[in-house]
Amino acid sequence: MAAMEKTELAPFRVSALSRALMAIEVTLPILLLVLGIYHGFLQTLYRAGVIQSPSFAGLSYYQGLTLHGVINAVVLTTFFGVAFGNALVSYYLQRPLIPWVHLLATGMMVTGTLLAAVPMLLGWADVLYTFYPPLKAHPLFYIGAALLVVGSWVAFFGWLPLVARFQKENPGQPLPLAVLGILVTFIIWFLCTIPLAIEVLFLLIPWSLGWVDTISIPLARTLFWFFGHPLVYFWLLPAYIVYYVMLPKLAGGKLYSDYAARVAFLLFLLFSIPVGLHHQYTEPGFDRFWKGVHAMLTFMVAIPSFMTAFTVAASLEYAGRERGARGLFDWMVRLPWFDAERPLVAYSLAGLLIFIFGGITGIVNASYNLNQTIHNTGFISGHFHMTVGGPVFLMILGMSLELFSQLTGKPIRLKGWNVAVPYLWMLGLFLFSPAMMYGGLLGQPRRTNMGLSYLDPNSPHFRADWVPTAYLTGIGAAVMTLAFVVYLAVWVATWAGEPAAEGGYLYFPTAESLHPVASTSSVVMRLRPWLVVALLLIAVSYWAPLRQALRTPQGAPPYAPDNPVPLIQVKK
Ligand code: HAS
């Protein structure tokens, strides 16, 4: 018999403590984002030759790029994942979070972020968000990053007893889809941050403290990418939760298939981790065979996204037809694209449209031979801005504002402006990313602290064919920055407004499934078997590459990009 899932739930009132902590979790990263976005914009101005020096505003090129990447890709996404998870678990399980766990988790994350900010602002951690050795940071940077990650683990562990109690008290009732989604997200996160912890604790911190002089580059990079690709699904899956669970209802319809949504989340659990070598195709020391295995598995991890494209499009078509659409494409027009009362629809639709191109370019990157052409070029920056800078970023903006409004009881102000933000951002991104990618195909590097010299006709590095793409990138980034400024205005107006209701009530509109929900005895209702297969796949795919990384010669001294001289002498 098909299981019964309760979709409509009453608003859930969180405790005063949780309310305050969640408000911090959504507000702090948005404040830091001001710095993150500013430095992203500066990168493009510098690359387009508009600003003359890589040390504009007192910060070096690599320092600005580090702030941009770490704030946008690590701090913002981790805080949002935890805040959204806290809200989903509280609402869908209708249970309060464990107060001391919530306090400990948020406290660790905030402390870690502040600790890591100090060396970044002082220029002692110009190591970018990948903190690849031989770039070396001050130990505080690594310790701060570790605290941020462990804080997010604590939050996740705090949800598990609530899930167990829900299952005990509701036999025969499936885990709400949103809860399954967030659990899969954080299981992936937990598994993939273990190799990161090993890299930080056993390689980077001792090296940074000067206990050892050199570091193994292949091993550090392999451990990093063991973490670094699954990381992108930690970013993406919260957006998928909204697309599956809330968007169909907000658009006026139903979720096409709850079953397909569950399978997609579970396939992410299987395939999002054993793929990291696709970031290392060009690195020596690993057998081609294992690079090929990771390439095949990377194509597998695209499947749940293809399923999502189908299921979400079918749900949207259903919604469009419920709204009176006729003919083949009319349903697209009927969707509430600009409904200021349902801004999450705009944030979702813009994100989905962008992700069509972000996803396709990911498949280009994954192809072993095509990757040789685009690796380390602007093509990669074009790709990831249409993924993490598309669906992920827009969902973080849209949902953070929604959560802020629910926690404070203050209705969102400047509603028309708010609904314009995702489309303005999309417009900017559709100039920025293709220009970056085309530049990449012309050979433009993905990072450069020689920006101006490429555009200066008097320089020996001058490349006339790079000029138009560098300008277009800058124009696109200006439009994206404008979109963020509008968003900030909406945020400030909302914050400054009067509450219209008591704050602290969480409510998420939730779609029913058009097709029956699977039986609770079905394998898609159980996490454990999928977890076992996921662990097996990880073991098989990483066993040999890790051995190969350990076998390659050890020992690189540190290197500072803005001062290209080794910082310390290697002891003989
Ligand atoms: Fe990637 C590099 C491959 C997805 C982020 N990626 C990166 C980097 C980042 C990143 C940050 O194989 C740079 C890392 C660095 O610093 O070096 N990526 C892939 C593949 C996918 C993929 C195969 N990436 C993502 C996502 C990211 C992300 C998601 C962030 C959130 N990526 C690579 C590879 C590299 C790489 C190589 C290394 C390259 C190198 O050489 O360095 C797949 O998961 C993509 C599958 C997606 C799809 C799209 C489905 C479309 C959907 C939208 C449907 C639209 C609808 C709207 C329904 C198949 C779901 C309809 C509505 C209407 C109204 C019409």
Side-chain angles (χ1 to χ4, degrees), residues 117-135:
V118 174
M120 281 197 289
L121 290 170
L122 292 174
W124 298 344
D126 297 352
V127 290
L128 312 176
Y129 90 100
T130 42
F131 42 88
Y132 258 9
L135 301 180

Side-chain angles (χ1 to χ4, degrees), residues 20-98:
L21 293 172
M22 282 189 210
I24 294 173
E25 289 157 13
V26 291
T27 312
L28 178 74
I30 296 290
L31 289 177
L32 289 174
L33 200 53
V34 175
L35 208 58
I37 295 274
Y38 168 74
H39 280 290
F41 185 38
L42 282 196
Q43 300 296 315
T44 59
L45 290 187
Y46 170 64
R47 288 175 83 106
V50 177
I51 55 173
Q52 308 289 314
S53 150
S55 61
F56 184 79
L59 298 186
S60 71
Y61 173 83
Y62 280 94
Q63 193 180 359
L65 193 52
T66 302
L67 281 167
H68 173 61
V70 171
I71 292 175
N72 296 12
V74 181
V75 176
L76 174 74
T77 50
T78 309
F79 269 92
F80 177 74
V82 167
F84 190 43
N86 280 334
L88 290 178
V89 168
S90 310
Y91 175 71
Y92 283 102
L93 302 184
Q94 298 272 303
R95 278 171 174 71
L97 298 171
I98 304 168

Side-chain angles (χ1 to χ4, degrees), residues 354 378-379 381-387 428-439 472-473 476 480:
I354 296 169
F379 191 94
S381 322
H383 158 67
F384 69 70
H385 281 87
M386 289 199 294
T387 51
L429 198 62
F430 279 161
L431 291 171
F432 172 92
S433 270
M436 268 275 177
M437 287 192 292
Y438 189 62
L472 260 183
T473 307
M480 289 156 79

